[in-house]
Amino acid sequence: MVMQQMTKQDYYKVLGVERNATERDIKMAFKKLARQYHPDVAENKEEAEVKFREINEAYAVLSDEEKRQLYDQFGHQGVQGSGGGYGGGYGGFSGGFGGFESIFESLFDMSGMGRASGQTRSRARRGSDLRKDVEIELEDAFRGKEEDFTVESYQTCPVCNGRRVKPGAGFKECKPCQGSGMMRNVQNTVFGQFVTSSTCGHCHGEGRIPEEVCDECRGEARTIRKERISVKIPAGIDNGMPIRLTGKGEAGEFGGQAGDLYLFVHVKEHQHLKREGKNLILELPIGFADAALGTEKEIVTFDGTEKIKIHEGTQTDAVLTLHGKGMPDLRGGKPGDLLVRLKVVTPTKLNEKQRKLLCQFAEEGPQFHCGKKGFFGKLVDALTGKN
Ligand SMILES: [Zn+2]
Ligand SMILES: [Zn+2]
């Protein structure tokens, strides 16, 4: 791991948290930033990579009680050699999400300060989390949908089933560490002498090595393969909601736990229906005769047809609520409502007969006028300076 010689930013500032931030605050801030600056998703990759590295470094220190204490006391000096460098690669999988969780695990994969002696660390690493995006119609979100897709990523090796050895072969004891997986070493640091145990480089902490390595995965226990995945997207899902498929991410390295797959669901906009939380909003144009006289209309919903009653004297923007006809509740609770917003449409192209009829209508009431200026017309003219 190469140490970086550059002016370092304050770790709290990097994560945007206060100096007294809780463990949880730090974790939340980190996750948010890691998603934002992940080089696989960010627009400016180079900038994101630098930022991503900074975030990981800051998190590596601040998420560890011991390192955080040293950092608070001695600053960057205090934690050199623990969170100072960044050596983990992200993801091996293009288009993947990379493993922001597995990255910081790898940050501690070195011996030195901050690690209590006697602690063991095997080479096993959790597989990366993956991200997949799907787009569905609003109607699919209303009913729920079975979605099939293919993911290409690291999967457990089918030949050795993740055992890493050739079928029929076994393991033998690691000689350099005598099967313990650990090597003892003494370090002199500015804080005094530390006796630490570090992972055996020969067996990577396992204490045993394969007699013969699997040809298919070359002993890594995983290979890149395509997998078909079928997911039931629940009714009521909202735009941008991720569905977590535990263990469906990349297979772990050397027997580590598999990562998770996050399916991000994007719900397309509907031509007529707008969604606000659980409610659906339908804008319905009605003629002004219907608005004045009242009528009944039929509207088509995802569930079938509904009759709605438009009352006499309806004004534009009046809202009719159809209870329970909105989106289903994701957790099986009460569904939302369908709100029908009525838009009174003023006719624009009148023929002579209609014009006449409207004039007749207007002359019947004092609040209307036909061509001639009533009180309000005169008032407007006075205000705008016309005579
Ligand atoms: Zn294999
Ligand atoms: Zn060993």
Side-chain angles (χ1 to χ4, degrees):
M1 205 171 277
V2 183
M3 295 286 286
Q4 285 169 344
Q5 293 299 330
M6 54 182 200
T7 334
K8 282 180 189 293
Q9 273 238 47
D10 181 81
Y11 286 150
Y12 291 96
K13 281 203 186 123
V14 169
L15 295 182
V17 295
E18 297 293 329
R19 292 197 88 82
N20 59 2
T22 63
E23 234 179 287
R24 206 180 118 80
D25 293 339
I26 288 168
K27 191 165 186 175
M28 301 259 289
F30 167 72
K31 283 203 165 183
K32 201 175 142 236
L33 290 168
R35 278 204 184 95
Q36 191 180 340
Y37 287 105
H38 194 291
D40 282 353
V41 294
E43 295 225 12
N44 184 341
K45 300 225 179 296
E46 271 171 33
E47 194 191 82
E49 215 174 303
V50 174
K51 189 86 186 148
F52 192 62
R53 210 172 286 156
E54 270 178 19
I55 296 161
N56 273 289
E57 197 185 298
Y59 182 73
V61 171
L62 298 187
S63 61
D64 183 307
E65 212 179 75
E66 245 180 273
K67 290 198 184 90
R68 186 177 172 183
Q69 236 170 47
L70 284 170
Y71 177 71
D72 286 347
Q73 264 183 290
F74 305 104
H76 290 294
Q77 281 286 320
V79 288
Q80 248 178 39
S82 40
Y86 168 77
Y90 29 82
F93 168 67
S94 62
F97 194 49
F100 48 83
E101 237 146 6
S102 25
I103 288 158
F104 55 76
E105 277 176 21
S106 67
L107 279 169
F108 299 111
D109 225 344
M110 53 193 296
S111 56
M113 300 187 25
R115 182 176 299 286
S117 57
Q119 218 175 321
T120 199
R121 181 90 195 171
S122 94
R123 178 157 66 145
R125 257 180 229 163
R126 184 177 179 273
S128 294
D129 291 331
L130 299 177
R131 175 194 178 122
K132 175 88 189 167
D133 291 85
V134 292
E135 202 176 44
I136 63 169
E137 302 289 344
L138 182 62
E139 187 163 358
D140 296 329
F142 180 86
R143 297 187 201 291
K145 192 189 183 200
E146 186 102 5
E147 184 80 26
D148 292 298
F149 54 89
T150 310
V151 172
E152 191 173 9
S153 73
Y154 280 108
Q155 306 286 318
T156 302
C157 171
V159 172
C160 65
N161 277 323
R163 284 185 73 241
R164 300 158 36 215
V165 294
K166 242 187 187 159
F171 291 87
K172 57 186 180 192
E173 191 191 86
C174 174
K175 288 258 161 61
C177 64
Q178 293 165 323
S180 73
M182 302 299 290
M183 304 287 261
R184 245 174 77 88
N185 49 57
V186 178
Q187 276 190 328
N188 289 306
T189 75
V190 282
F191 301 107
Q193 197 179 67
F194 283 78
V195 179
T196 56
S197 299
S198 63
T199 307
C200 168
H202 199 69
C203 63
H204 301 276
E206 282 202 34
R208 57 177 198 170
I209 51 174
E211 280 171 355
E212 258 185 298
V213 165
C214 167
D215 291 328
E216 178 72 17
C217 63
R218 290 187 300 265
E220 283 178 21
R222 57 181 200 166
T223 52
I224 290 184
R225 279 190 300 146
K226 280 186 182 160
E227 196 191 359
R228 254 202 109 53
I229 293 175
S230 182
V231 188
K232 176 107 187 75
I233 296 174
I237 190 119
D238 209 342
N239 191 34
M241 271 185 182
I243 298 173
R244 179 180 173 166
L245 302 163
T246 310
K248 290 289 183 189
E250 285 190 357
E253 264 179 281
F254 305 105
Q257 211 190 339
D260 300 331
L261 173 66
Y262 289 87
L263 185 69
F264 281 78
V265 180
H266 304 278
V267 183
K268 281 192 221 167
E269 286 205 8
H270 191 271
Q271 210 184 340
H272 303 295
L273 290 165
K274 241 196 224 119
R275 179 180 187 167
E276 267 175 25
K278 282 200 288 182
N279 292 342
L280 288 173
I281 296 157
L282 174 69
E283 231 172 56
L284 186 69
I286 55 169
F288 89 143
D290 282 346
L293 303 170
T295 185
E296 266 189 6
K297 291 228 174 247
E298 222 168 51
I299 55 167
V300 181
T301 67
F302 290 141
D303 255 350
T305 54
E306 293 288 331
K307 270 213 177 87
I308 55 167
K309 194 169 161 52
I310 293 160
H311 293 281
E312 213 178 290
T314 290
Q315 303 294 323
T316 200
D317 280 335
V319 175
L320 301 173
T321 304
L322 280 73
H323 294 285
K325 297 291 175 186
M327 295 297 284
D329 184 87
L330 202 52
R331 282 161 207 89
K334 244 180 74 185
D337 300 331
L338 173 61
L339 308 172
V340 183
R341 182 170 292 138
L342 301 170
K343 288 285 179 191
V344 179
V345 180
T346 307
T348 50
K349 281 178 191 144
L350 298 173
N351 61 30
E352 265 320 296
K353 193 177 176 192
Q354 287 170 318
R355 197 176 289 277
K356 247 186 198 155
L357 285 168
L358 271 176
C359 268
Q360 266 177 30
F361 159 76
E363 266 147 19
E364 285 298 313
Q367 74 267 49
F368 304 105
H369 60 91
C370 187
K372 288 171 273 174
K373 279 173 189 158
F375 172 72
F376 286 109
K378 283 180 190 152
L379 182 65
V380 170
D381 282 354
L383 290 170
T384 54
K386 284 189 222 155
N387 280 315

